[in-house]
């Protein structure tokens, strides 16, 4: 076979595949049509010749073989053929029942010393039982088949050796049984592959939805950090500007400048974060890129908070410059949220001590404030956890850490501990 012959088989195989799909669809909608077609085909091939020419007409095999069987009347032949053929109509719906009925008629026929071409129904029923029936029925079906075929071998002993007859008959039964089991295994494999493909598709969709949910959560957390911090600073500066407008106009002007700078910074960060949510409806544009904040930006963060009226003392210990970008972003967001809460609850005139300490594989963040200058009930308790505290704990959990928040003296303290050791299995 040449390469051109092989290449020409592609459309033929595809066409045969489409025909097979149509046949399977038709069989699923009208299963009785295929069952009836099998019975009709077996009748035309094996039953009709016996009715037209007799059970063993002239010239049909050696004379000693023809004389070994009884001649049945036409009514008896039709009755036996019907008993062998009709059970095949439910060979798929009730294969065990069909096999039992065919075997019973088969044994009755050979007990009468009659031989019919319709005996092929026994092998069809055995094949159907192996394909559609319960596997636990196969052992007794094989035993019954062997017994029935042994009866046949004994009846034809005058013409054929018993062992030769048994070899031929049992080989045919084994072939029918093996064919049914092979097709059954193949169908089970295909069903398993289809089920696996469906489950993989579902898992793919689920992973996609989980990724979208995780990205939305990340964006929401970033927006909370940006909006919450900058708005707190802006509100504090605006209040200070109102009070300073009459007494010290220059301080009010400085407050307005700081409000403008803080607003522009917040707008820039929001554009960067919200950029991932934009739909690509128009032509692609050059993305606005800016680095994620890190430890180098904490000084500017502290300056902005100081401008809003909160005194911040910032110190570090250890090799903080060697931290990777992910850890630095986590530290920045935790410090940002802690200082925002201090500015919101302790108010102007309070003092906050910020310490970032790196010791071996452990990083500790401590933000401790002095509380509000005037005696007052600080809003919020440890049981009232907002999105900010939840976000801090989620960020710390990414590095095997934890966050604790609670009162200490007149003020409150936020402590976060991160584990910098490589995670197991990380590369």
């Amino acid at each position: 076979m040449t390469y051109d012959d092989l290449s020409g088989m592609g459309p033929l195989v595809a066409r045969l595949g489409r025909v097979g799909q149509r046949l399977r669809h038709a069989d699923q909608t009208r299963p009785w049509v295929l069952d009836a077609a099998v019975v009709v085909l077996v009748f035309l091939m094996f039953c009709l010749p016996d009715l037209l020419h007799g059970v063993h007409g002239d010239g049909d095999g050696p004379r000693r073989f023809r004389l070994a069987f009884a001649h049945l009347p036409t009514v008896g032949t039709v009755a036996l053929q019907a008993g062998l053929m009709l059970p095949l109509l439910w060979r798929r719906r009730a294969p065990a029942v069909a096999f039992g009925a065919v075997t019973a008629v088969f044994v009755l026929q050979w007990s009468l010393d009659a031989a019919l071409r319709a005996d092929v129904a026994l092998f069809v029923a055995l094949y159907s039982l192996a394909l559609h029936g319960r596997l636990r029925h196969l052992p007794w079906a094989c035993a019954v088949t062997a017994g029935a075929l042994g009866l046949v071998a004994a009846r034809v002993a005058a013409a054929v050796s018993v062992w030769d007859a048994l070899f031929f008959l049992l080989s045919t039964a084994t072939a029918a049984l093996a064919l049914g089991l092979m097709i059954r295994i193949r169908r089970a494999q295909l069903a398993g592959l289809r089920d696996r493909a469906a489950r993989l598709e579902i898992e793919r969709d689920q992973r996609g939805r989980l990724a979208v949910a995780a990205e939305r959560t990340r964006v929401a957390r970033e927006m909370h950090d940006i909006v919450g911090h900058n708005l707190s600073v802006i509100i504090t500066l605006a209040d200070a500007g109102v009070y300073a407008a009459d007494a010290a106009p220059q301080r009010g002007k400085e407050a307005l400048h700081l409000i403008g700078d803080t607003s522009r910074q917040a707008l820039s960060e929001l554009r960067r974060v919200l950029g991932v949510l934009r739909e690509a409806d128009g032509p692609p544009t050059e993305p606005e890129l800016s680095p994620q904040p890190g430890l180098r930006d904490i000084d500017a963060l502290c300056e902005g908070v100081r401008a809003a009226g909160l005194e911040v003392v910032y110190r570090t210990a250890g090799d903080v410059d060697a931290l990777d970008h992910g850890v630095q972003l986590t530290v920045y967001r935790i410090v940002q949220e802690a200082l925002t809460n201090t500015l919101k609850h302790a108010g102007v005139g309070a003092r906050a001590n910020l310490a970032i300490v790196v010791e071996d594989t452990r990083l500790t963040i401590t933000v401790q404030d002095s509380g509000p200058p005037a005696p007052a009930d600080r809003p919020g308790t440890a049981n009232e956890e907002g999105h900010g505290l939840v976000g801090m704990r989620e960020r710390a959990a990414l590095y095997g850490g934890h966050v604790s928040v609670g009162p200490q003296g007149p003020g409150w303290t936020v402590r976060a501990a991160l584990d910098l050791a490589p995670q197991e299995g990380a590369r």
Side-chain angles (χ1 to χ4, degrees), residues 60-140:
D60 188 12
R63 180 177 180 81
R64 64 187 182 119
F65 188 78
R66 296 198 305 269
L67 296 177
F69 302 106
H71 292 274
L72 296 177
T74 303
V75 176
T77 301
V78 172
L80 290 175
Q81 288 179 344
L84 292 171
M85 292 293 104
L86 292 181
L88 297 181
L89 289 174
W90 62 85
R91 65 184 183 88
R92 293 192 294 177
R93 288 169 291 179
V97 176
F99 175 80
V102 171
T103 304
V105 177
F106 182 87
V107 172
L108 174 63
Q109 169 209 319
W110 282 97
S111 299
L112 298 174
D113 284 337
L116 297 175
R117 292 182 177 90
D119 289 339
V120 72
L122 177 66
F123 303 113
V124 176
L126 182 61
Y127 159 82
S128 301
L129 181 62
L131 178 58
H132 304 289
R134 298 180 179 179
L135 294 179
R136 68 170 182 266
H137 292 163
L138 286 182
W140 67 261

Side-chain angles (χ1 to χ4, degrees), residues 48-61:
L48 193 59
D50 285 345
L51 295 178
L52 294 178
H53 306 293
V55 176
H56 293 290
D58 296 337
D60 188 12

Side-chain angles (χ1 to χ4, degrees), residues 185-411:
I185 293 172
R186 180 60 177 169
R187 288 183 179 179
Q189 290 176 341
L190 292 177
L193 290 175
R194 285 192 293 267
D195 180 68
R196 177 176 173 80
R199 286 190 286 106
L200 288 176
E201 185 175 357
I202 294 174
E203 291 176 2
R204 182 199 62 190
D205 295 339
Q206 290 177 343
R207 286 195 299 269
R209 288 193 292 267
L210 289 175
V212 171
E215 183 63 17
R216 288 179 176 175
T217 302
R218 186 191 68 81
V219 172
R221 190 166 55 228
E222 291 285 332
M223 290 182 63
H224 173 270
D225 293 339
I226 295 170
V227 175
H229 168 73
N230 289 288
L231 282 182
S232 297
V233 174
I234 290 172
I235 292 172
T236 304
L237 290 173
D239 292 339
V242 170
Y243 289 119
D246 297 330
Q250 185 63 27
R251 295 294 301 275
K253 185 177 180 180
E254 293 177 358
L256 291 177
H257 283 299
L258 290 174
I259 289 175
D261 294 338
T262 304
S263 301
R264 281 187 290 271
Q265 179 184 358
L267 182 60
S268 176
E269 293 185 5
L270 282 176
R271 285 176 177 173
R272 174 178 55 79
V273 173
L274 294 177
V276 299
L277 301 179
R278 295 175 182 170
E279 296 181 356
D281 295 331
T285 59
E286 190 69 22
E288 298 180 3
L289 302 178
S290 60
Q292 291 277 22
L295 292 181
R296 63 182 180 277
D297 299 300
I298 292 183
D299 288 327
L301 176 66
C302 294
E303 288 297 329
V305 175
R306 291 188 187 105
L310 177 66
E311 182 181 356
V312 180
V313 178
Y314 172 42
R315 69 179 183 88
T316 61
D319 190 7
V320 295
D321 295 331
L323 300 175
D324 62 55
H325 297 294
V327 175
Q328 291 193 30
L329 176 61
T330 298
V331 172
Y332 179 88
R333 292 306 187 194
I334 292 176
V335 171
Q336 184 184 48
E337 180 63 29
L339 292 179
T340 300
N341 289 337
T342 300
L343 182 63
K344 183 188 304 182
H345 298 299
V348 178
R351 176 189 175 94
N353 294 317
L354 169 61
I356 301 175
V357 180
V358 177
E359 296 177 349
D360 295 331
T361 60
R362 183 177 178 83
L363 184 147
T364 305
I365 306 169
T366 304
V367 181
Q368 182 177 6
D369 64 69
S370 60
D377 292 335
R378 179 166 181 156
T381 65
N383 294 327
E384 297 175 355
E385 298 183 357
H387 295 288
L389 181 56
V390 174
M392 285 193 292
R393 286 178 173 166
E394 289 179 352
R395 292 183 184 276
L398 293 177
Y399 293 92
H402 63 276
V403 176
S404 60
V405 180
Q408 184 172 355

